[in-house]
Amino acid sequence: MARVVVDVRLKSEILDPQGRAVQGALGRLGLNGVTNVRQGKQFVIDIDGELDAAATEKLHEIAGNLLSNPVIEDYELSVEQA
Amino acid sequence: MARVVVDVRLKSEILDPQGRAVQGALGRLGLNGVTNVRQGKQFVIDIDGELDAAATEKLHEIAGNLLSNPVIEDYELSVEQA
Amino acid sequence: MSRHVDTVTNAANTPDLEQPFAELGVKPDEYARIREILNRRPTNSELAMYSVMWSEHCSYKSSKVHLRQFGDKKPDSDAMLVGIGENAGVVDIGDGWAVTFKVESHNHPSFVEPYQGAATGVGGIVRDILSMGARPVAVMDPLRFGPADAPDTARVLPGIIAGVGGYGNCLGLPNIGGEVVFDPTYLGNPLVNALCVGTMKHEDIHLAKASGIGNLVILFGAATGGDGIGGVSVLASETFEDGGPAKRPSVQVGDPFMEKLLIECTLEVLHAGLVEGIQDLGGAGISCATSELASNGTGGMHVYLERVPLRDATLTPEEILMSESQERMCAIVPPENAEKFLEICAKWDVVATVIGEVTDTGRLIIEWHGEVIVDVPPRTVAHDGPVYERPYHRPTWQDTLQADAPTADRLKRPTTASELRDTIMTMTAAPNLASKRWVTDQYDRYVLGNTVLAQPEDSGMVRVDEVTGRGVAVSTDCNGRFAKLDPYNGAKLALAEAYRNVSTTGAVPLAVTNCLNFGSPEDPEVMWQFSEAVRGLADGCLELGTPVTGGNVSFYNQTGDVAILPTPVVGVLGVIDDVERRTPMSWKTDGDLIYVLGTTADEFAGSEWAHEVHGHLGGLPPGIDLKLEQALSQILVACSRDGLIDAAHDVSDGGIMQALIEMALRSGIGARVWVPDNLDPFVFAYAESATRAVVVVARSEEQRFIDMCAARNFPATRVGVVDSAAAAEPALVVDGVYGDVLTLPIAELADKHFSTLPAIFGPTVG
Amino acid sequence: MSAQGARIGVVTFPGSLDDRDAARAVRLAGAEPVALWHADHDLKAVDAVVLPGGFSYGDYLRCGAIARFAPVMQEIIAAANQGLPVLGICNGFQILCESHLLPGALIRNDHRHFVCRDQRLQITNNTSLWTRDFELNEEIVVPLKNGEGGYVASDNVLDELEGEGRVIARYLEVNPNGSYRDIAGITNARGNVVGLMPHPEHAVEPLTGPTTDGLGFFTSVLSSLLQGAAR
Ligand SMILES: Nc1ncnc2c1ncn2[C@@H]1O[C@H](COP(=O)(O)OP(=O)(O)O)[C@@H](O)[C@H]1O
Ligand SMILES: [Mg+2]
């Protein structure tokens, strides 16, 4: 079994209303010095069997087109074989 | 500067309609063998200066109550001092 | 991990096994009755089923003896097609159309997890409506919260609003109204009531009954998870030898997308004529659906429980029976229709599984991998639950409360123009009277394209038939303070207000639903409030000729020993033959005359003014005469039909002044108003006498209007005229105020009225 | 071809909500609505397509992200590139952006609430196939309702859209969702594909909408078809 984790984050030049809201809240809750907050998504995908090269490529394609929108987001993909 | 990453995931016993929707799409896009998908949130928080114990504690409090909803979600917090 | 499954054989062989019935909320005498019914001890699965089906929530055991009045005192009405007892009542609205509507509570879950609690509350009531064969066409949400500025309200309210909106918006159902009321008694116990309206043709009505031997029992929708099985985990932990079951969720999460598919899929299988009976899965899940379907039908059912698709493989059979997983339905389908049925489900990506069949054994038999774990007469589970005659008595404090009337000596009233002006500015910004736009702007009111009236109008109105323009109007109301002062008349006042709101928009009131939110039925004083409220509502419905078609009881709404205000929320549905002639709430034409229909008296007990300005609650609520209410309704409907009035707005919380302000703010156009000679200006402004409305009459119709009121012997008083030039800027100008003229600029009123909720809960748009 | 005979497809995805409303608007504008199903590779020879509002596939991942891969979208993408008029409303706009038929993307509203309001707009392009019946700079009011309606794109793209006159409508008075440069809707270079967040299909009858201003979008495409401007 393989566990694939895909982190998706808004590109830094795109406004992140949720990150901004969190940043405001952190300040009000007394956490000082916060310079930036970004909110992203994380997908944890469990896959039966081993990941071969073809499957990994497919995963990148999916991460870059379905799980993230390349117009506004970047992704990072990591695989833990188990 | 410290970078704090908080991963927020639905507790495993809680229904995750988002993960399920992604799982369905993965199948339709021809990725086989997917047994489970969970969708979570990720917060990346940049903080000026070093994190002392008090700030770390505050961060945990915030992660457990503001960034995540303890009734349905768990969080994981990691700090990269830079 | 190994499991022992408690079978019927096992139960017969181990009659003396101790069972944890008390932990499941089953009383010793109830347990004894189960043993008597079965002639043996129940299996764990049977015990689980009885425990949940005989719970207060499912069996109405404390309320049943009182609720019977809704049937016993049922008015003669041709409109009722399906009455109390089904998933929801159905009324005939003419032209072959039928409407079903019902309100239900999801109070406690919404306190624990506001978003999901409210969301699944909407989901549940929508499935009730769907299971009658109707297409859900609108939702409403009567809500109650603690004080607006209390910290916990800041946690609870935004989540509940987002949950109601998140689910309803995603389902494509317009939200056409509701209530947002703040009172300290709801702080630890907010109320989330959800109402849904559905429409269908008469021939599409479906009932929850399993008839036809050999017909298949098909479960369809979401997979079953460990949701809402709290209590039953006692049994689960016994069934597991080692370790114990996986963790069970403490809250249920809704999946509105799944529900949307379920709606389309269900309507398609129903319209294709494939279904014999249908039932939604709500409280008590499969236990409830199978026992009710069987009990209402041929009488027997055989279920293979291991076929139920699971989201969590560790669930025990007891838990599967109990699970309240959302977004599931159960249909009874003749075998020859099964293929077509499954095909339609597949089209909508809805998983459907044949889990059993209808039999003539008179027994509900449930197997688990070849072993019988349930073998019961279904009626004993579904319908023959315990009935309690709980003791009740008039509270010891009731007389003192009623004696504490808000007279002018007891509560300081404004006595000058400038004092009244201050009062007006306070009142229009008071959380209970301020605009609820912060809430309603988060709800889609446009989807489906049939919404004719929505918030802030007096009732929500949707077009049912696009060709004829036939439509329905619905309003929900309840002033819990009135109900506390006098639950009998308080319930009548709630009914009267909802009835009036429907009439005000030009619809003829037809039928009633209700959601009775009270404290603990084990407290005799709460039980008295309940019994009085039911009696008042039943008497009121009889007098008005509007039958109760269904409803819901929610008990145990209290924090510690302190119960919420008794809150019998009443929903009234009316029919309008052509929505084109709806009456909107505000004026638009200069020179139109403003009339008050009804009589204003010095009635301030339970009023918003006493509450907001003095924090006072005492005295007797406003008098209520339903014959007069009926006369007012007939006038309002006739005026709409004959085109005599251009606008109408009901007078309730905040009295005439609040009604005028809401009308002015709705249109942005000013008016000149004068206090009638015989009335104290403050009483004119803020008394909350019942059975009144403000109406707007074109000068050309004035004589006909006066004649109509006179013919019905109903008081109508001219109090103003629409005047966009009443002052330099658009304003309400009130003359005769303790010798002065009050000028209330609309901009100033708007600033007060619209900024209260955003100031507390944060800005949204604009 | 006569406008009377025009057939306009309305796609239903699982989770589409305003498909009935879009079909009604098509009918009131004088054309015949044709139901299209997400799972079919079949456009039924329609003259134009509307992608209606809603929450396709629940929109749990990202609005429009999954719908983009639906079979019917493969046909629509190909046909749109050949000039078929396509209008995406709200979720439809999101799907068009996800499909890269239109540039940019729609993100969560800056105030993070779902918002439903009667929105004042200025029509800033009257040459696209879906806006030609409007006056340039005409002000209209139509309902707006969304949770993820903030239009974002890079500065280059925004400059290009503005430079080429491809912003079809802007928010007036209030920017209800934080859209960059108050953009409410845009068109592709060819002018046949239009996406907007507000809901013109909810402003087609005086009885149920704040105005009937929304009809203009639907009559525009009929004029376009009549004049042979399409394809
Ligand atoms: N939670 C809510 N959801 C939808 N509409 C609401 C809600 N709360 C209040 N409204 C609407 O706001 C308007 C004003 O409410 P309210 O003052 O309680 O009316 P009334 O006193 O006439 O019953 C009504 O149209 C009502 O339906
Ligand atoms: Mg009203």
Side-chain angles (χ1 to χ4, degrees), chain C residues 358-427:
Chain C
V358 176
T359 67
D360 59 357
T361 59
R363 314 222 23 122
L364 170 61
I365 294 176
I366 300 181
E367 277 187 28
W368 176 253
H369 293 291
E371 296 190 276
V372 175
I373 56 169
V374 171
D375 181 351
V376 298
R379 239 202 114 69
T380 63
V381 180
H383 296 290
D384 299 339
V387 176
Y388 290 166
E389 304 252 7
R390 296 222 186 249
Y392 57 88
H393 60 73
R394 185 180 165 93
T396 48
W397 42 260
Q398 196 76 32
D399 289 339
T400 321
L401 183 72
Q402 293 185 344
D404 182 20
T407 55
D409 333 329
R410 172 80 172 82
L411 302 185
K412 162 127 186 46
R413 300 178 175 188
T415 51
T416 65
S418 102
E419 282 174 3
L420 185 58
R421 187 177 213 285
D422 291 346
T423 302
I424 291 171
M425 291 306 162
T426 305
M427 291 292 283

Side-chain angles (χ1 to χ4, degrees), chain C residues 10 23 98 149 154 185 201 230 234 279 309 323 362 395 405 415 419 438 477 483 573 607 609 626 639 652 692 734 766:
Chain C
N10 191 34
E23 280 100 316
D149 54 2
T185 61
K201 289 299 214 169
V234 183
Q279 167 79 302
S323 165
T415 51
E419 282 174 3
W438 190 92
D477 287 286
L573 177 131
S607 71
W609 172 78
L626 293 175
C639 282
S652 51
R692 293 179 302 162
V734 190

Side-chain angles (χ1 to χ4, degrees), chain C residues 585-634:
Chain C
M585 69 180 270
S586 188
W587 53 67
K588 46 182 182 297
T589 313
D590 265 358
D592 277 6
L593 303 168
I594 302 170
Y595 271 83
V596 169
L597 286 170
T599 308
T600 303
D602 186 336
E603 293 178 299
F604 285 96
S607 71
E608 194 54 42
W609 172 78
H611 171 75
E612 176 64 27
V613 176
H614 294 286
H616 175 269
L617 179 59
L620 284 172
I624 176 71
D625 176 345
L626 293 175
K627 282 284 158 282
L628 285 180
E629 198 65 59
Q630 212 161 23
L632 174 62
S633 165
Q634 283 162 2

Side-chain angles (χ1 to χ4, degrees), chain A residues 1-73:
Chain A
M1 207 200 78
R3 165 161 290 189
V4 180
V5 178
V6 180
D7 290 334
V8 174
R9 296 186 189 166
L10 274 179
K11 288 187 204 288
S12 58
E13 66 271 22
I14 301 284
L15 172 76
D16 175 6
Q18 320 196 73
R20 223 188 32 191
V22 171
Q23 188 166 346
L26 293 181
R28 283 193 297 280
L29 290 175
L31 188 72
N32 300 321
V34 176
T35 54
N36 193 24
V37 179
R38 307 287 290 174
Q39 179 173 338
K41 292 179 209 162
Q42 188 178 60
F43 300 89
V44 181
I45 306 172
D46 292 331
I47 304 185
D48 248 355
E50 294 234 335
L51 275 187
D52 56 15
T56 309
E57 194 180 316
K58 180 117 222 154
L59 267 168
H60 272 282
E61 196 190 305
I62 287 173
N65 286 297
L66 174 72
L67 301 183
S68 68
N69 175 350
V71 177
I72 50 171
E73 295 168 323

Side-chain angles (χ1 to χ4, degrees), chain C residues 140-143 161 175-180 432 436 439-440 443 454-459 475-477 497 501 649-650 652-653 662:
Chain C
M140 298 174 88
D141 59 331
L143 309 174
I161 303 309
N175 185 307
I176 59 167
E179 299 166 74
V180 177
N432 280 335
K436 303 303 180 314
V439 169
T440 57
Y443 302 155
Q455 46 273 13
E457 298 285 334
D458 286 294
S459 60
S475 175
T476 75
D477 287 286
E497 188 180 346
N501 274 307
H649 190 29
D650 117 273
S652 51
D653 321 49
E662 287 171 358

